[in-house]
Amino acid sequence: MTLTIRNIVPIIKANWIGQNDVAVIDTISIDSRSLQNSENTLFFALTGPNHDGHIYIEELIRKGVQYFVVNYIPENAAEKANFLVVENTLEALQKFAAYYRSLFEFPIIGITGSNGKTIIKEWLNFLLSPDFNIIRSPKSYNSQVGVPLSILGINEKHNLGIFEAGISMTNEMEKLQKIIRPTIGILSNIGSAHDEGFSSVGEKIKEKLKLFSSVNVLILNKNKTICAFVNPKIKTFSWCSDDKSADVYITKKNIGELTELQVTYREDTFPITIPFQDQASVENAIHCMMVMLYFGYKHEVIQTRMAQLYPVEMRLKVKNGIYNCTLIDDSYSSDFQSLKIALDFLEHQKQHKKKTLILSDIFQSGLNNEELYSQVSQLIISNKITRVIGIGETISQYKNKFINGITFKNVAEFTKAFDNLNFENETILIKGARDFHFEEIVSMLEEKTHETVLEINLNAISHNLNFFKSKLAPKTKMMVMVKAFGYGNGGFEIAKLLEHHKVNYLGVAFADEGISLKSAGITVPIMVMNPETTSFSAIIQHHLEPEIYSIKGLKAFLKIAEQKKLKHFPIHIKIDTGMHRLGFEEENLEDLIQILKGNETVQIKSILSHMATSDDVKHDAFAKSQIALYEQLSTRLMTELNIKPIRHILNTSGITNYPEAQYDMVRLGIGLYGISNDAEEQKQLENVGTLKSVISQIRTIDEGESVGYGRRFVADKTTRIATIPIGYADGIRRSWGNGVGYVVINGKQAKIVGSVCMDMLMADITDIDCKEGSNVIIFGENPTVNYMAQQLGTIPYEIMTGISQRVKRVFFRE
């Protein structure tokens, strides 16, 4: 990209305010965190109901960014940079991408549907890359923001594009069509995803079909419902398994763990074998085959390549590694666009100063190798990577471009040298093309734990945070609770994400939790909610901020603070307004005031209280009495001490139910993790944690035989039993067994039979098609934590925080 600001202004219809409109732009950014932002970056300050990119502009100017597309110029940024002012920054980004797309004329495949878009795109890239130089959407960049960013990755060397388009409501696809302008369309499966955004299935189909308004051909599964909505002027290339009038007629049968397709096309019938049996994978594979047929590939080539299709991993995962390392597993793709994304993710999730990149040869860049690896080198420098380990014949030739770089021709060479590479106390990004089998490297570096994992969706955390932010007044601050190991989800990784989102405070229960976060590099102020007097010295040493809730505690803290000759050390005063757990009561206030009046050793940073019934409207009168008492007591403290501290009383449910009491700050807790007491609000939140395991063993028992301790389950017929390696030592309560609870295997519920053991449980899989090694969902979307809590007569907090530390946490971003 070599456009100047002067070129861009008319494209996005901007009002130019600045001093240098001839600057060349080589990078478009919407992410203030990216270390790839530079003096040649054009930053689009996107806004929405839950976010505002303008708040990051001052910080970006300090980092050297000089060019911004904005809705308005922030007061403190005026005359410090160059601004392109528009009415809507997202529309400006889309206009710019549409213009950029118009500069290229080569086939573009556009994919939409409810399911399978990313898999079809990745498989097409695999199947066609021997013959084309392909640009494709990185990861699942298919949204109103993701599509333009994907298009902006095109360069002059590409000769085929594959882009996916996803929508969740009406009037979205027309915008994406103008940006992608596909010449070949693929309509994948139409399912129930995002149904809530459409009045009917018909409306959803019509909206998705807008992507194909000007394609040369539309590839689809022939279906009367869908075909009724297709514009007859659009040429279709259809397939079907039950309608021989389709262009391609397909029958299928299972052979072992494979599926054999008999494909009839233009009077020829030939077989294709694919290494999957599930319906979704088969349909996705057929769509890919249809593209190959349309392009005129010989049957033999299609047969050979389709047989090599593989499961697609669509997520960047954070895992614990050996020797106190943290791994970021992106071991199945290696292209320039996704490398940028992975490096940004590395910066967001780094847990160590030392950062290592293990990188294979890069494919599909559209650049010659000299230019490609020069750009890769610049990316690595800008992201402050400590060392680079290159693996591949090509990257080895460009070893000299990498500071502190070492290369190997293949994984086998790397394996031989493994013990001498000294991996320790570092964050390692593992990024490799599938052909390099980097999963072997992940296996060598990954901490060995049992097969049960709690997967944490960082995208969902961001969504939930922004959902609650949208309920706040513009000036209301936010504290987020990360106590109890982030409600069982993980401490540092979530704190790091919250730090990026510029939350004002983090809250922990005890000093050791805060010390752990500070030691890991978290800089956001951290309040310790339940400090013990024995921890006061450590709190001061690690710059934590204690909640003070008693005269005894205040005097103890002041004594230590005075010994250390502190001035204005931040503390937080807790008032008891009816919870009767911790806090100063009204009768204590006079003593509190006398101690603090004129005292310069500490500074009252905030005055807080805690609501006891904010989640239950039956106690509305009590909740409002707490708010009234808090107003009275906090006002008295402020008046008599002549201070203006932050005031806060609302927790998660209070944010929703008592918005009039936001004061200066609110405290978000379990809502961040996707849990609400309100059924309607729950629909707006995204699931964060999914607890997964696998089937260790399958056995068949006869009528009258029993399972587990105490023979609490006795079969009344021949029954298949799966043993799953998770038990009460992992946090699954024993009361969830004996037919009360269930797990989900291949989308079906399997009742837990017999007692939950310490390290395993058993489930009835008589009617479920599965095998040893099949994945098992313990909780997540189904069953939900809310459902489990209701069945067990407890609260979601207890379920979540009860998951043992021995269960590995895997953090991922879609």
Side-chain angles (χ1 to χ4, degrees):
M1 182 182 302
T2 55
L3 292 172
T4 66
I5 292 294
R6 184 177 294 173
N7 300 139
I8 296 170
V9 167
I11 294 169
I12 64 174
K13 297 181 170 55
N15 178 26
W16 161 248
I17 299 174
Q19 299 175 343
N20 181 11
D21 66 351
V22 296
V24 174
I25 296 300
D26 60 19
T27 304
I28 300 298
S29 177
I30 63 166
D31 186 353
S32 65
R33 297 169 294 181
S34 176
L35 293 180
Q36 297 155 34
N37 293 324
S38 69
E39 60 184 11
N40 297 116
T41 293
L42 179 61
F43 182 85
F44 282 75
L46 301 185
T47 61
N50 302 331
H51 65 272
D52 184 356
H54 295 77
I55 66 176
Y56 303 107
I57 287 177
E58 282 189 82
E59 177 186 339
L60 284 163
I61 291 172
R62 288 194 295 271
K63 292 179 179 179
V65 180
Q66 280 292 297
Y67 304 96
F68 299 89
V69 179
V70 297
N71 295 342
Y72 63 89
I73 300 174
E75 184 177 340
N76 294 329
E79 300 182 5
K80 293 180 181 178
N82 300 273
F83 297 95
L84 287 74
V85 184
V86 297
E87 288 187 9
N88 184 304
T89 49
L90 174 57
E91 289 181 5
L93 176 64
Q94 292 171 337
K95 285 177 185 175
F96 181 60
Y99 167 80
Y100 189 74
R101 163 67 180 92
S102 72
L103 302 178
F104 301 92
E105 291 296 334
F106 54 76
I108 298 283
I109 300 172
I111 309 167
T112 195
S114 301
N115 309 105
K117 297 184 290 294
T118 302
I119 293 171
I120 292 171
K121 177 199 68 187
E122 292 300 317
W123 281 353
L124 281 175
N125 178 69
F126 166 74
L127 294 166
L128 303 177
S129 59
D131 313 299
F132 292 93
N133 201 350
I134 299 172
I135 175 70
R136 71 191 192 280
S137 313
K139 301 296 177 185
S140 53
Y141 271 39
N142 60 30
S143 66
Q144 298 291 308
V145 175
V147 167
L149 293 177
S150 300
I151 289 291
L152 292 169
I154 299 174
N155 66 44
E156 291 77 5
K157 302 293 178 63
H158 292 124
N159 56 15
L160 177 66
I162 310 174
F163 298 100
E164 50 178 303
I167 56 171
S168 56
M169 62 183 70
T170 57
N171 303 316
E172 287 189 330
M173 189 60 85
E174 190 173 354
K175 298 173 184 176
L176 300 186
Q177 191 280 332
K178 291 177 181 177
I179 300 168
I180 300 173
R181 286 177 47 206
T183 57
I184 300 166
I186 299 176
L187 182 64
S188 73
N189 173 278
I190 298 292
S192 59
H194 301 298
D195 272 356
E196 64 277 6
F198 303 93
S199 61
S200 65
V201 173
E203 184 179 61
K204 179 196 279 191
I205 294 170
K206 285 194 288 186
E207 182 70 18
K208 290 184 179 293
L209 287 172
K210 289 178 182 179
L211 179 63
F212 311 123
S213 59
S214 60
V215 295
N216 298 328
V217 65
L218 169 59
I219 294 169
L220 76 168
N221 183 356
K222 191 168 187 178
N223 172 293
K224 288 183 180 179
T225 302
I226 292 174
C227 290
F229 291 99
V230 176
N231 186 333
K233 294 181 180 179
I234 294 176
K235 178 183 176 183
T236 60
F237 185 41
S238 64
W239 66 271
C240 198
S241 295
D242 52 24
D243 184 347
K244 292 187 177 181
S245 69
D247 296 300
V248 179
Y249 179 67
I250 298 171
T251 60
K252 51 192 173 184
K253 65 178 180 180
N254 295 339
I255 303 176
E257 296 184 355
L258 311 176
T259 299
E260 182 180 276
L261 307 176
Q262 287 293 329
V263 181
T264 302
Y265 174 52
R266 291 180 176 172
E267 309 303 323
D268 289 334
T269 299
F270 58 95
I272 290 176
T273 301
I274 55 176
F276 304 98
Q277 285 193 343
D278 63 286
Q279 181 179 347
S281 295
V282 171
E283 287 192 10
N284 293 335
I286 291 172
H287 281 111
C288 294
M289 179 203 69
M290 293 290 289
V291 173
M292 298 187 79
L293 287 174
Y294 178 74
F295 279 168
Y297 278 87
K298 293 181 179 179
H299 301 167
E300 296 78 14
V301 175
I302 299 175
Q303 289 167 329
T304 300
R305 295 186 188 175
M306 294 283 289
Q308 300 173 45
L309 291 178
Y310 52 86
V312 173
E313 178 56 69
M314 294 179 284
R315 305 177 301 186
L316 286 157
K317 291 184 177 180
V318 181
K319 303 176 177 180
N320 291 329
I322 59 175
Y323 305 126
N324 196 35
C325 291
T326 302
L327 309 185
I328 297 176
D329 181 2
D330 194 13
S331 54
Y332 292 103
S333 69
S334 183
D335 60 86
F336 191 65
Q337 289 299 103
S338 67
L339 176 60
K340 289 182 176 181
I341 295 168
L343 286 170
D344 277 341
F345 187 70
L346 167 62
E347 179 60 22
H348 304 164
Q349 285 299 313
K350 69 177 182 185
Q351 297 190 28
H352 309 276
K353 289 183 179 180
K354 185 178 180 182
K355 297 186 291 184
T356 294
L357 169 64
I358 303 177
L359 180 67
S360 77
D361 289 348
I362 293 177
F363 303 125
Q364 304 299 323
S365 70
L367 306 170
N368 63 56
N369 285 335
E370 180 68 32
E371 186 177 357
L372 168 63
Y373 288 101
S374 293
Q375 290 195 22
V376 170
S377 175
Q378 289 303 308
L379 270 183
I380 289 168
I381 291 169
S382 65
N383 279 271
K384 301 176 183 176
I385 301 301
T386 313
R387 67 168 168 169
V388 178
I389 299 174
I391 300 178
E393 297 277 353
T394 305
I395 198 171
S396 293
Q397 297 173 29
Y398 295 91
K399 173 183 174 181
N400 63 333
K401 291 188 179 292
F402 306 116
I403 299 172
N404 199 17
I406 182 173
T407 59
F408 302 95
K409 296 293 178 62
N410 49 49
V411 171
E413 281 192 8
F414 169 87
T415 303
K416 288 179 183 176
F418 183 79
D419 290 339
N420 296 319
L421 293 173
N422 300 319
F423 292 103
E424 186 177 15
N425 298 317
E426 56 195 295
T427 304
I428 307 167
L429 170 60
I430 303 165
K431 181 109 181 96
R434 184 173 183 82
D435 289 350
F436 285 85
H437 300 288
F438 270 22
E439 66 272 15
E440 297 174 19
I441 296 176
V442 174
S443 179
M444 285 187 277
L445 286 167
E446 190 173 4
E447 183 180 64
K448 303 305 181 278
T449 55
H450 69 92
E451 295 170 295
T452 297
V453 300
L454 181 60
E455 291 189 346
I456 310 299
N457 186 336
L458 296 174
N459 299 74
I461 288 178
S462 294
H463 168 87
N464 296 339
L465 175 71
N466 287 328
F467 171 77
F468 284 101
K469 273 186 177 179
S470 71
K471 293 174 174 282
L472 304 181
K475 292 186 178 180
T476 302
K477 295 177 169 62
M478 181 177 279
M479 171 189 284
V480 180
M481 309 307 297
V482 292
K483 61 184 180 178
F485 193 52
Y487 287 62
N489 292 286
F492 170 80
E493 294 83 0
I494 292 172
K496 185 72 175 174
L497 181 63
L498 296 172
E499 186 169 59
H500 160 69
H501 283 294
K502 295 187 178 297
V503 302
N504 304 93
Y505 267 91
L506 298 176
V508 298
F510 300 105
D512 58 347
E513 295 175 308
I515 291 169
S516 176
L517 293 177
K518 285 291 187 181
S519 298
I522 297 299
T523 59
V524 177
I526 298 175
M527 186 189 301
V528 182
M529 311 296 282
N530 308 326
E532 297 158 317
T533 55
T534 55
S535 69
F536 284 159
S537 291
I539 284 174
I540 292 168
Q541 178 186 346
H542 292 277
H543 305 288
L544 303 173
E545 302 181 16
E547 174 188 288
I548 302 296
Y549 50 82
S550 69
I551 296 294
K552 179 183 176 183
L554 177 59
K555 288 180 176 179
F557 187 82
L558 286 174
K559 181 178 179 181
I560 295 173
E562 287 164 358
Q563 288 172 353
K564 294 180 179 291
K565 297 182 170 53
L566 299 181
K567 283 277 190 181
H568 306 298
F569 193 91
I571 64 171
H572 302 263
I573 298 297
K574 175 77 166 285
I575 300 174
D576 181 6
T577 56
M579 184 76 153
H580 295 330
R581 192 172 62 177
L582 294 174
F584 292 96
E585 294 182 292
E586 185 171 8
E587 62 196 48
N588 307 134
L589 250 58
E590 185 57 39
D591 289 342
L592 174 64
I593 291 166
Q594 291 307 313
I595 293 171
L596 289 174
K597 188 172 285 187
N599 190 304
E600 295 189 353
T601 304
V602 295
Q603 175 192 6
I604 299 176
K605 203 69 182 288
S606 81
I607 301 173
L608 67 147
S609 189
H610 197 83
M611 299 183 72
T613 62
S614 62
D615 60 338
D616 192 343
V617 293
K618 289 186 299 185
H619 297 289
D620 180 65
F622 180 79
K624 287 180 177 175
S625 73
Q626 277 199 273
I627 295 169
L629 182 57
Y630 172 72
E631 169 67 25
Q632 174 193 332
L633 300 183
S634 62
T635 299
R636 180 182 169 190
L637 280 176
M638 292 166 63
T639 301
E640 297 206 30
L641 294 173
N642 192 26
I643 56 174
K644 291 186 177 179
I646 298 167
R647 291 197 286 176
H648 49 113
I649 188 173
L650 297 185
N651 53 7
T652 295
S653 49
I655 293 171
T656 299
N657 294 331
Y658 298 96
E660 72 279 6
Q662 287 181 15
Y663 286 98
D664 305 298
M665 186 163 74
V666 298
R667 301 187 301 272
L668 178 62
I670 201 165
L672 181 76
Y673 307 99
I675 304 294
S676 173
N677 291 301
D678 182 273
E680 287 305 309
E681 185 172 82
Q682 185 65 59
K683 295 176 184 177
Q684 302 297 317
L685 301 178
E686 293 185 359
N687 179 66
V688 169
T690 301
L691 184 59
K692 292 183 174 182
S693 193
V694 297
I695 296 176
S696 295
Q697 189 175 40
I698 293 175
R699 69 179 70 247
T700 300
I701 63 172
D702 294 327
E703 179 183 353
E705 292 189 300
S706 62
V707 172
Y709 288 115
R711 302 196 74 215
R712 291 185 176 87
F713 173 80
V714 178
D716 58 7
K717 61 181 179 181
T718 300
T719 306
R720 291 176 76 229
I721 299 293
T723 299
I724 300 156
I726 183 171
Y728 59 76
D730 301 295
I732 304 304
R733 291 171 59 165
R734 292 184 75 247
S735 50
W736 188 234
N738 296 310
V740 174
Y742 64 89
V743 297
V744 173
I745 303 170
N746 289 339
K748 294 185 177 180
Q749 294 183 14
K751 277 282 184 186
I752 297 172
V753 295
S755 296
V756 174
C757 307
M758 180 180 286
D759 305 304
M760 61 196 78
L761 57 80
M762 288 70 74
D764 182 350
I765 56 167
T766 304
D767 300 320
I768 299 176
D769 181 16
C770 57
K771 58 187 179 182
E772 292 177 358
S774 290
N775 289 327
V776 179
I777 304 296
I778 312 300
F779 66 64
E781 297 282 358
N782 177 29
T784 64
V785 171
N786 271 333
Y787 174 82
M788 290 181 73
Q790 289 166 6
Q791 295 301 109
L792 295 172
T794 184
I795 56 176
Y797 297 78
E798 188 172 2
I799 304 295
M800 294 169 65
T801 59
I803 302 304
S804 166
Q805 295 290 314
R806 79 176 187 175
V807 173
K808 178 171 64 176
R809 271 68 173 173
V810 174
F811 298 85
F812 70 89
R813 177 173 289 165
E814 299 284 1

